[in-house]
Amino acid sequence: MTAIRAVVTDIEGTTTPLAFVHEVLFPYARARLARFVKENEGESQVAATLADARELGGVVEADTDATVRLLLSWMDEDRKAGPLKVLQGLIWRQGYEDGVLKGEIYGDAATMLRRWHDRGVRLFVYSSGSEEAQRLIFGCSDKGDLAPLFEGFFDTRIGAKTESGSYRAIAEMAGLDAGAMLFLSDHAGEIAAAREAGMQVVQIDRALKRDSWSEGAGAPVADSFDPVDRRFFAE
């Protein structure tokens, strides 16, 4: 087994409870979307993002109300649309800066990410959320500022998370052989794509009993980051 020089981690269900994303972050952004757009549509980044949304969604005129309805429909569909992700990130940033939001990180994930960083393991994030949203959830977390631990943050601008080419691109950008990188995610499709790209992988299933590790048919499965540490980084 090639020694691991870098870890790439997913967020939802891996480092962070799904409930935080779906029951806290998404409702927070939805409740504030219309007001945020109307108050900031003249700001250059927001204006450009709204124009991208209209082009992507086929809204012919620069109609603010129609654009908001489009964005809300994408939220209902859980569509991974770039313009929506950007706006959500801007709204969340305001919430984090105001102290209303605090990113939830599993204790084992925070502990091991710090430990791996201290051991010289390079750390990256790859999530469907925007790069800014990733930085915020780790930078304003309930376990302290974890953002400096990471060398890079990748979102779907590099490619879909279920496509192997995305993971090859991440390895290339990191300047590493894919086999020296470990990808952690709760999503079987993402695990399969990373494995096809040559990365070592572990699927995180937090519904398993405590301290669980198994060699699944598709990939090893662990309940948390603790067994991963013992398997790959035990001194």
Side-chain angles (χ1 to χ4, degrees), residues 13-14 182-192 200-206 208 212-214 216-225 228 232:
T14 305
L182 172 65
F183 178 61
L184 307 175
S185 173
D186 68 322
H187 192 286
E190 296 171 6
I191 289 292
Q200 298 185 55
V201 295
V202 176
Q203 184 172 347
I204 303 297
D205 184 350
R206 293 188 174 273
L208 296 175
S212 176
W213 174 277
S214 63
V221 181
D223 74 299
S224 67
F225 282 35
V228 176
F232 293 94

Side-chain angles (χ1 to χ4, degrees), residues 7 11 24 29 48 52 60 70 83 114-115 140 164 180 182 219 229 234:
V7 171
I11 295 179
V24 177
D52 290 343
V60 179
L70 172 67
R114 287 192 174 103
R115 181 177 298 175
C140 304
S164 59
L182 172 65
D229 180 63

Side-chain angles (χ1 to χ4, degrees), residues 114-194:
R114 287 192 174 103
R115 181 177 298 175
W116 298 340
H117 177 268
D118 290 345
R119 290 177 178 171
V121 179
R122 299 167 65 188
L123 301 178
F124 301 88
V125 177
Y126 181 29
S127 173
S128 58
S130 68
E131 178 183 340
E132 174 156 21
Q134 297 173 28
R135 290 182 182 276
L136 288 167
I137 204 167
F138 286 108
C140 304
S141 89
D142 57 358
K143 303 299 186 298
D145 184 2
L146 302 175
L149 301 179
F150 296 98
E151 184 175 325
F153 296 82
F154 298 100
D155 57 28
T156 51
R157 288 175 298 180
I158 203 164
K161 295 188 72 183
T162 54
E163 294 179 359
S164 59
S166 305
Y167 301 88
R168 294 190 186 97
I170 289 173
E172 183 177 353
M173 291 188 70
L176 290 172
D177 181 86
M181 304 184 80
L182 172 65
F183 178 61
L184 307 175
S185 173
D186 68 322
H187 192 286
E190 296 171 6
I191 289 292

